[in-house]
Amino acid sequence: MTSQKRLDGKTALITGANSGIGASCVKLFSAQGANIIATDIDRMNFNNEIIQIQSDVTKSDEAKKLINDILIRFKSIDILVNSAGVTSRNAIPDTNNDEEIWDRVMEVNVKGIFIISKYVIEVMKTQKQGSIINLASIMGVVGYPETLGTPLNPYPPSKGAVIQLTKTLANHVAQYGIRVNAICPGFIETNMTKSLTKNQSTKKIIEGLHPMGRMGKAEEVANAALFLASDESSFITGSNLLVDGGYTAK
Ligand SMILES: NC(=O)c1ccc[n+]([C@@H]2O[C@H](COP(=O)([O-])OP(=O)(O)OC[C@H]3O[C@@H](n4cnc5c(N)ncnc54)[C@H](O)[C@@H]3O)[C@@H](O)[C@H]2O)c1
């Protein structure tokens, strides 16, 4: 007897797949039977079963070509996980120019989702189904802790925009059977937070901000993404799933 996997027969496009939450989604979704197209601005190193395409989410021409290439190989795009993202700490290496950093954070975190979603939604409309999952953040819901950053940090506003983009898109495409949801993780142990957590006292402060007393793991966020990607969440759209160890419940 063969056991049914949760994403059997589905095709999933995952951005920001080289690291952290995106990489965990690649592994988990693949184990659950999905065909994966992993994309990242950096080169990836998954096994041969995973299709890996280097692509920058901020480049419209690259996104358009990416979607065309996927459709040559697969007949549908059922799932899109928008995990590519940057913080003010890693948006542009070697610069202190706060306006350039602001622009790049907004460009990757917000416009990147807009660009990929624009092309994927056209495909999903013809299929009359699809699930889009946007990685927002608790920082789109509450203010960034004053102990950790500057008041003019572009990251929280970029994630607030992702939540609003999610709701608006969800409203507009529900009629085509397309669901759009956001996930708001708390602080997760990935490359993104490494520069903060290498300082042990900062790590302790961050852990203490979560009632569960620890940071989250990328796999714990990927599990939430799997639920939103699968048919188990068939009546959920426009939602904002907190995966934050109680951070925003305080
Ligand atoms: N780690 C956390 O604490 C945390 C918390 C809340 C939300 N998030 C969000 O989750 C998502 C994934 O974060 P992560 O922790 O896995 O980060 P990460 O830094 O480990 O991975 C992000 C990936 O995105 C890729 N990327 C960056 N710019 C890109 C571009 N222009 N085009 C394509 N790929 C690009 C990077 O190369 C990297 O592989 C991000 O949107 C992030 O903002 C992370």
Side-chain angles (χ1 to χ4, degrees):
M1 204 173 80
T2 54
S3 62
Q4 180 83 16
K5 292 180 175 169
R6 290 163 76 187
L7 301 180
D8 258 345
K10 299 205 188 234
T11 299
L13 169 59
I14 300 172
T15 74
N18 192 42
S19 170
I21 295 165
S24 278
C25 286
V26 169
K27 287 172 201 146
L28 182 63
F29 287 23
S30 172
Q32 287 298 330
N35 304 310
I36 309 289
I37 300 95
T39 74
D40 200 287
I41 197 168
D42 289 339
R43 258 180 73 90
M44 291 155 284
N45 203 12
F46 294 109
N47 66 40
N48 289 341
E49 280 171 27
I50 308 294
I51 298 171
Q52 301 153 63
I53 302 174
Q54 212 171 338
S55 177
D56 181 341
V57 291
T58 68
K59 301 259 177 3
S60 189
D61 52 343
E62 289 186 21
K64 196 173 178 180
K65 181 172 183 318
L66 172 72
I67 304 308
N68 284 337
D69 289 349
I70 295 171
L71 290 176
I72 290 169
R73 185 146 182 180
F74 300 102
K75 60 180 189 312
S76 63
I77 302 174
D78 306 293
I79 299 158
L80 167 64
V81 179
N82 284 309
S83 193
V86 291
T87 65
S88 50
R89 297 183 299 279
N90 70 359
I92 311 177
D94 308 323
T95 184
N96 290 321
N97 185 318
D98 57 358
E99 293 185 18
E100 282 176 19
I101 292 172
W102 176 280
D103 286 344
R104 185 61 182 166
V105 170
M106 289 294 175
E107 188 181 30
V108 176
N109 292 2
V110 188
K111 194 175 177 192
I113 293 183
F114 155 73
I115 289 173
I116 296 274
S117 301
K118 178 171 74 159
Y119 293 115
V120 169
I121 281 170
E122 285 314 305
V123 177
M124 288 180 169
K125 270 184 181 177
T126 65
Q127 302 166 180
K128 299 250 178 293
Q129 59 87 25
S131 174
I132 298 177
I133 297 136
N134 295 327
L135 268 300
S137 166
I138 51 167
M139 294 311 158
V141 180
V142 295
Y144 202 79
E146 59 199 47
T147 41
L148 298 177
T150 72
L152 293 172
N153 182 352
Y155 188 78
S158 77
K159 294 303 182 177
V162 172
I163 293 169
Q164 286 302 337
L165 178 60
T166 301
K167 289 182 183 177
T168 301
L169 261 181
N171 253 311
H172 283 253
V173 299
Q175 62 185 306
Y176 305 106
I178 306 168
R179 299 183 296 108
V180 190
N181 291 289
I183 295 179
C184 289
F187 282 80
I188 309 298
E189 289 176 24
T190 67
N191 284 335
M192 185 172 271
T193 48
K194 248 186 197 151
S195 62
L196 286 173
T197 56
K198 67 181 183 211
N199 178 319
Q200 282 306 308
S201 64
T202 309
K203 185 165 191 242
K204 282 247 161 321
I205 292 171
I206 292 172
E207 288 169 346
L209 292 168
H210 303 76
M212 289 185 76
R214 66 172 175 87
M215 291 172 68
K217 297 189 187 321
E219 298 76 30
E220 294 177 302
V221 183
N223 278 324
L226 173 61
F227 168 65
L228 292 173
S230 76
D231 296 338
E232 292 157 28
S233 56
S234 51
F235 198 50
I236 302 179
T237 197
S239 80
N240 192 12
L241 181 52
L242 298 158
V243 184
D244 70 352
Y247 190 111
T248 51
K250 290 177 294 180

